[in-house]
Amino acid sequence: MEPLCIVSLRRAVVLVMTGKATVLETDGRVLHSEHVAVPLPVVLCLTRYVHVPVRRPVPPTRRTVLQRDDHRCAYCGGGADTVDHVNPRSRGGRHEWTNVVAACVRCNHRKADRMLHEIGWELPFVPRAPRWSVAFGTTSVRSEPLWSAYVVA
């Protein structure tokens, strides 16, 4: 079993009612209709195998970089709202996971178009590509704790 996607509550209930999925996790609440009571589904398991095509790697967009770095500036540790290239693009740096970090506006402006060793800064971590997909990032696991057993962060 592997996570496929996040669906709305309405879609989850339809999948359960039509027999296409079974409820693995529930939060204890129950949805009632006139004739049926269904446990509120939090995690579902499809009853039939679904072929999943090979997933493409997640691109390093502003949203995904901020998500990977937990919205923390790589230089000062404060709140981040921009993305910075460790090796500036004007100096041959590429737009890839190993060269992009989250940064606050102040640090991004102070670093400008320079290399870290030129201004005496060091990164507290080595930037890497995340192991999660966009649909199952660390924020989705935080928003629904019951998912943590099924989603690898």
Side-chain angles (χ1 to χ4, degrees):
M1 289 193 294
E2 66 176 295
L4 296 178
C5 65
I6 298 172
V7 297
S8 66
L9 176 61
R10 180 185 183 103
R11 177 74 176 137
V13 171
V14 168
L15 287 171
V16 171
M17 297 293 290
T18 57
K20 295 179 180 179
T22 57
V23 178
L24 288 181
E25 293 279 346
T26 181
D27 65 355
R29 294 183 289 175
V30 179
L31 299 172
H32 296 278
S33 73
E34 185 179 355
H35 301 286
V36 180
V38 177
L40 186 89
V42 177
V43 177
L44 299 176
C45 178
L46 295 177
T47 55
R48 299 183 71 197
Y49 175 77
V50 176
H51 174 72
V52 179
V54 177
R55 292 190 174 121
R56 294 190 178 114
V58 179
T61 62
R62 179 179 177 274
R63 186 180 114 220
T64 56
V65 171
L66 289 171
Q67 193 174 359
R68 177 198 68 184
D69 295 349
D70 200 24
H71 293 268
R72 293 274 154 227
C73 178
Y75 305 119
C76 70
D81 43 13
T82 65
V83 172
D84 182 54
H85 292 86
V86 178
N87 182 10
R89 294 185 80 175
S90 63
R91 295 193 179 190
R94 299 183 53 121
H95 185 70
E96 55 192 24
W97 282 108
T98 56
N99 190 43
V100 180
V101 294
C104 64
V105 174
R106 183 173 175 256
C107 290
N108 201 349
H109 185 69
R110 285 178 58 202
K111 181 181 172 286
D113 195 23
R114 296 177 286 188
M115 305 287 276
L116 293 177
H117 64 83
E118 294 174 357
I119 53 178
W121 289 5
E122 289 184 13
L123 279 177
F125 64 93
V126 177
R128 294 192 175 103
R131 294 183 302 161
W132 38 260
S133 72
V134 175
F136 304 107
T138 55
T139 56
S140 63
V141 174
R142 272 193 222 115
S143 65
E144 188 55 66
L146 290 174
W147 293 352
S148 61
Y150 302 95
V151 179
V152 178

